[in-house]
Amino acid sequence: MKKTYIFTILFIFAAGITFAGIANTPHNLSVSGPGTVKSSTERRICIFCHTPHNARSEAPLWNRNLSNASYTVYSSKTFEATANQTQPTGNSRLCLSCHDGTIALNQIYSGTIQGTSLSNPLTGAAVLGTDLSDDHPISFLYSDSTVADNQLNSETSLPSFVKLQNGRVECTSCHDPHTETQYFLNNADINVLCDACHDKKTGTQLFADSPHSYIVTSSPVNAKYSCNNCHDVHNAKAMETGAGTIQLLRGNEEQLCFICHGTSTFNGAPVPSGTGVDIEANTAASPGTLSGTANYYGNPSCDESPAGECHEGEWSGTINNNERYYNKSHDVVSSAQGNNNTQMECINCHGPHGVRQDDLTTRDVIESLVDPDTLKPFKPSTTNYETSNYWNKFYQMNEFCLKCHNGSFPSSPAGRSDLTVSTDLNREPINVSNTYPNGVHGGGRGLNLPCMACHKPHSGNYMMMPDSIDWNIDNGAPFATNDASGTLTVSSITVNSLDDIQNFCFNTCHKNSSFSGHRSDHVDAVNNNPEVSCITCHFHGGYF
């Protein structure tokens, strides 16, 4: 029996026969291989990795020399197993003996490869290199005690096709070199393979229920599976520039979001199969304008002493806390953030793995937003504002806006120091915690406007004024306006400058007001001076 077994092994290596399933794959480097990288003369298939005699000890009958390279391993701010990650170990070292591109393909441990056609290292997309920071992490312990991330499944629930080696994730945890499955995967369904370990969600909102879970087939994404819409498992690079990224993303920061949520020069594609707002075009690309000497706003009072600044011929105030940049959007673009230490990104407000359209029938969570302090779904403290479901969400969002605009400025949310909102004087969010709730618009005199009645985060208009308003939903606005019906609809409002803000005011709530009814000197000031507007006197805390 023993002689028969040895004879069989010898016969396999001598004849180039394999029962392992690599004959029709790129791993067949012999002359019979189907790929472009193969020997011109060598007939033996297994010899490139295995030998029946004088083998290395790292794996059964292993026949390749191993690399002595030092590798840069994967790391990120969300990778919790970093302390247990080492240089590649186990089967991963075997795979890297070809796939790091440092050793010639014909460099075997025992014997000689016929011919010289494979005397160079592997090249092309299959090469991972020695920098593994853009590849899925390997050689880290996967256990409930070392991987605390609640977006990973328990080690005891992993299916049998996920192969841990000595408790560690290695290349062979996902790949089987002896199979004809695409990419040599342990499971032909890539979504199933990813979901075996990953349980992506935002709080309790599952990735499967998010539009981001759909497989996008429109250019430029053309993902083979939903995770691949935003991530690459190996050699992750930005689709637009080819630059390195973090977290295996296919784009850097907002540029990845703009692949779908914009009209960038790279793709020219809107939200796939949708008519979503072109957020990219509406996002500030410069630091904006500083409200300074000629553009002060901040609710000056005419009857205060000394006399109001307007009547002194000055438009600048001395209250530093009111000097702000004003833009057409929240500054998520790096060029807009400039050198002001701002770190605000799309994910400060949205959770990509669980985000979904708001359910107007629920009153305990805003599904489209995350708490900027915790990056979990935003749960307002007041869930019932005694109004319709539609408008209830609007009032709940007031609390969301005040997460930043109350002056607290989330710092290192959920341990993510890269998402700290700046507290630099001229870039910090306008603090309206005291002025807005007590002012006319905030309810101080009976009128309680939700923030989003006057502001639209992605509008692209000056100071984020909406480009259109529809108050006909759910029997009209639940707050008082000078439009008798309360069901006003206004579209295509032009707010492209400070002076244009009066167009917004007098085409919405104040539609039936007579602007000429104001004192004539105020009318002249607003009409004749482009540096003066309604908000020169009426701001978040205005009582005038």
Side-chain angles (χ1 to χ4, degrees), residues 24 81-82 87 119 128 143 203 228 230 246 253 255 269 320 336 357 359 371 437 445 450 464 484 535 537:
N24 298 318
T82 304
Q87 287 287 299
S119 58
L128 305 182
S143 68
N228 192 227
C230 297
I246 60 171
E253 298 177 346
Q255 292 303 325
N320 291 332
Q357 187 173 2
D359 182 353
D371 188 320
R445 293 178 65 182
M464 295 186 287
I535 63 170
C537 293

Side-chain angles (χ1 to χ4, degrees), residues 106-266:
N106 65 358
Q107 292 300 301
I108 59 176
Y109 180 71
S110 179
T112 304
I113 300 294
Q114 296 178 15
T116 60
S117 56
L118 297 178
S119 58
N120 293 314
L122 183 66
T123 59
V127 176
L128 305 182
T130 59
D131 183 356
L132 305 180
S133 61
D134 55 4
D135 300 284
H136 190 286
I138 55 174
S139 302
F140 66 92
L141 289 172
Y142 189 111
S143 68
D144 294 345
S145 60
T146 59
V147 182
D149 193 334
N150 62 6
Q151 298 196 35
L152 289 174
N153 293 316
S154 168
E155 60 175 318
T156 59
S157 67
L158 297 181
S160 59
F161 57 76
V162 175
K163 311 293 186 182
L164 298 181
Q165 186 182 25
N166 298 322
R168 293 182 180 270
V169 172
E170 303 289 2
C171 296
T172 49
S173 297
C174 295
H175 300 282
D176 180 354
H178 303 108
T179 179
E180 293 184 2
T181 304
Q182 187 181 30
Y183 306 126
F184 301 98
L185 295 174
N186 288 340
N187 190 300
D189 190 324
I190 305 179
N191 279 320
V192 171
L193 184 60
C194 293
D195 291 344
C197 293
H198 295 279
D199 182 24
K200 303 305 292 183
K201 54 193 172 184
T202 300
T204 57
Q205 293 177 184
L206 302 178
F207 176 62
D209 297 329
S210 167
H212 288 168
S213 69
Y214 304 156
I215 297 177
V216 179
T217 56
S218 303
S219 177
V221 179
N222 290 322
K224 301 176 180 64
Y225 54 102
S226 56
C227 302
N228 192 227
N229 291 331
C230 297
H231 300 276
D232 269 328
V233 181
H234 293 297
N235 293 322
K237 297 289 187 298
M239 284 186 280
E240 292 188 275
T241 63
T245 60
I246 60 171
Q247 298 168 312
L248 305 182
L249 291 170
R250 303 181 70 190
N252 283 307
E253 298 177 346
E254 71 283 343
Q255 292 303 325
L256 176 62
C257 302
F258 291 163
I259 293 296
C260 291
H261 296 279
T263 313
S264 72
T265 55
F266 172 66

Side-chain angles (χ1 to χ4, degrees), residues 286-287 333-342 427:
S286 63
V333 178
S334 298
S335 58
Q337 295 172 358
N339 296 320
N340 295 289
N341 300 319
T342 51
R427 300 297 290 165

Side-chain angles (χ1 to χ4, degrees), residues 294-297 300 310 314-315 326 462 497-503 515 521-538:
N295 292 314
Y296 173 78
Y297 61 90
C310 301
E314 299 175 1
W315 296 99
Y326 42 86
Y462 206 64
S497 69
L498 191 65
D499 193 44
D500 282 342
I501 289 178
Q502 65 183 354
N503 294 330
F515 185 48
D521 52 349
H522 290 167
V523 174
D524 292 341
V526 174
N527 285 339
N528 299 328
N529 192 333
E531 297 171 349
V532 183
S533 178
C534 298
I535 63 170
T536 302
C537 293
H538 305 282

Side-chain angles (χ1 to χ4, degrees), residues 291-521:
S291 57
T293 14
N295 292 314
Y296 173 78
Y297 61 90
N299 193 26
S301 176
C302 297
D303 57 1
E304 289 182 353
S305 180
E309 284 132 359
C310 301
H311 298 279
E312 292 291 325
E314 299 175 1
W315 296 99
S316 62
T318 58
I319 307 175
N320 291 332
N321 200 36
N322 279 327
E323 292 184 2
R324 301 278 185 253
Y325 283 89
Y326 42 86
N327 286 331
K328 297 180 180 180
S329 68
H330 288 100
D331 294 333
V332 297
V333 178
S334 298
S335 58
Q337 295 172 358
N339 296 320
N340 295 289
N341 300 319
T342 51
Q343 300 291 337
M344 187 174 182
E345 301 296 343
C346 301
I347 60 175
N348 281 97
C349 296
H350 305 288
H353 290 117
V355 64
R356 56 183 184 264
Q357 187 173 2
D358 292 314
D359 182 353
L360 297 181
T361 65
T362 64
R363 295 191 169 217
D364 60 342
V365 66
I366 301 178
E367 295 87 350
S368 62
L369 300 172
V370 295
D371 188 320
D373 285 309
T374 65
L375 303 184
K376 299 293 179 65
F378 181 74
K379 296 185 177 183
S381 59
T382 302
T383 59
N384 191 348
Y385 284 87
E386 298 182 356
T387 184
S388 69
N389 286 331
Y390 175 81
W391 287 102
N392 187 72
K393 289 286 183 179
F394 271 72
Y395 283 105
Q396 288 179 337
M397 288 182 185
N398 276 13
E399 292 187 42
F400 176 80
C401 298
L402 288 173
K403 290 291 292 188
C404 283
H405 292 286
N406 64 358
S408 65
F409 321 119
S411 176
S412 190
R416 295 288 303 276
S417 59
D418 57 320
L419 298 177
T420 300
V421 178
S422 172
T423 57
D424 181 87
L425 177 62
N426 290 325
R427 300 297 290 165
E428 65 188 28
I430 295 175
N431 186 341
V432 300
S433 59
N434 293 322
T435 57
Y436 171 70
N438 297 317
V440 172
H441 292 141
R445 293 178 65 182
L447 177 64
N448 186 7
L449 291 177
C451 299
M452 291 184 67
C454 295
H455 299 287
K456 186 177 179 181
H458 304 303
S459 70
N461 271 344
Y462 206 64
M463 295 189 71
M464 295 186 287
M465 297 294 186
D467 50 7
S468 63
I469 286 182
D470 184 356
W471 289 339
N472 290 298
I473 298 176
D474 279 6
N475 299 316
F479 45 83
T481 75
N482 285 326
D483 172 48
S485 67
T487 59
L488 177 67
T489 298
V490 176
S491 60
S492 301
I493 302 171
T494 301
V495 187
N496 291 323
S497 69
L498 191 65
D499 193 44
D500 282 342
I501 289 178
Q502 65 183 354
N503 294 330
F504 176 83
C505 297
F506 279 88
N507 281 283
T508 53
C509 291
H510 299 278
K511 189 174 181 64
N512 292 323
S513 298
S514 172
F515 185 48
S516 60
H518 286 62
R519 288 177 53 186
S520 59
D521 52 349

